[in-house]
């Protein structure tokens, strides 16, 4: 049988490569039985929307009762839409971190670390990225270390 990572391999690969049309095609035709995988798939599809600049679509499509990973992508979308929301967004991250389910959710940790990094709060960005176990969390840590060392910061 396939491991969980293998089932989403093509979708993730297309996403990382920036081939968003192929990612959407893969994501919409992928048939998954596992609820966790379905949520991860939807999170990637919403992240494709963000990458394409469809921020409003993510905000309107993800409801308050949506799974945590999708609400985390929506939180990032809210931040991207209007950076003046940063105080509210950061407070939301802190609130959600008090919940053990949030504090261990891969997508939540990634989206939150990305927000902190863009706010130049590198300490919190690294702390959250470090809790994640995926290649993407590791890549983000490298990006944060590079950003911390930049002369123009």
């Amino acid at each position: 049988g396939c491991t969980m990572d293998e089932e989403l391999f093509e979708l993730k690969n297309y996403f990382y490569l920036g081939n968003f049309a192929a990612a959407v095609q893969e994501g919409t035709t992928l048939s998954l039985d596992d609820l966790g995988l379905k949520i991860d798939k939807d999170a990637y599809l919403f992240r494709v929307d963000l990458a394409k600049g469809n921020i409003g679509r993510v905000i309107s499509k993800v409801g308050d009762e949506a799974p945590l990973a999708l609400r985390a992508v929506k939180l990032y979308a809210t931040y991207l839409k209007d950076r003046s929301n940063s105080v509210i967004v950061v407070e939301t991250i802190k609130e959600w971190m008090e919940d053990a389910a949030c504090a261990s959710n891969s997508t939540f940790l990634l989206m939150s670390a990305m927000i902190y990094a863009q706010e130049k709060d590198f300490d919190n960005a690294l702390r959250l990225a470090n809790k994640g176990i995926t290649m993407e969390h590791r890549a983000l840590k490298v990006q944060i270390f590079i950003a911390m060392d930049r002369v123009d910061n």
Side-chain angles (χ1 to χ4, degrees), residues 42-91:
D42 289 345
Y44 274 98
L45 290 175
F46 281 125
R47 290 178 64 198
V48 166
D49 278 330
L50 292 185
K52 290 165 61 178
N54 300 335
I55 296 169
R57 182 178 188 278
V58 175
I59 293 170
S60 67
K61 289 271 187 193
V62 179
D64 294 338
E65 301 305 311
L68 171 62
L70 305 186
R71 285 184 288 131
V73 177
K74 180 180 183 172
L75 188 66
Y76 186 49
T78 303
Y79 174 76
L80 292 175
K81 182 173 189 257
D82 184 357
R83 298 290 168 100
S84 68
N85 289 328
S86 66
V87 174
I88 298 161
V89 169
V90 168
E91 283 307 310

Side-chain angles (χ1 to χ4, degrees), residues 20-148:
F20 302 132
V24 169
Q25 176 68 29
E26 175 70 16
T28 51
T29 57
L30 202 54
S31 177
L32 301 166
D33 296 324
D34 183 84
L35 181 61
L37 282 177
K38 286 180 183 174
I39 293 168
D40 285 348
K41 176 194 79 167
D42 289 345
Y44 274 98
L45 290 175
F46 281 125
R47 290 178 64 198
V48 166
D49 278 330
L50 292 185
K52 290 165 61 178
N54 300 335
I55 296 169
R57 182 178 188 278
V58 175
I59 293 170
S60 67
K61 289 271 187 193
V62 179
D64 294 338
E65 301 305 311
L68 171 62
L70 305 186
R71 285 184 288 131
V73 177
K74 180 180 183 172
L75 188 66
Y76 186 49
T78 303
Y79 174 76
L80 292 175
K81 182 173 189 257
D82 184 357
R83 298 290 168 100
S84 68
N85 289 328
S86 66
V87 174
I88 298 161
V89 169
V90 168
E91 283 307 310
T92 303
I93 293 171
K94 289 176 183 171
E95 279 175 36
W96 290 7
M97 275 303 289
E98 291 171 18
D99 179 339
C102 293
S104 64
N105 182 281
S106 181
T107 303
F108 168 71
L109 291 170
L110 185 69
M111 296 295 107
S112 299
M114 288 166 66
I115 291 166
Y116 277 129
Q118 289 180 36
E119 284 294 297
K120 302 207 184 323
D121 182 346
F122 298 126
D123 186 47
N124 277 317
L126 283 171
R127 199 166 47 78
L128 295 188
N130 216 31
K131 291 176 189 279
I133 57 170
T134 69
M135 178 185 68
E136 205 171 356
H137 291 96
R138 290 196 284 276
L140 180 59
K141 285 195 295 190
V142 171
Q143 290 175 320
I144 293 166
F145 284 127
I146 291 168
M148 289 168 72

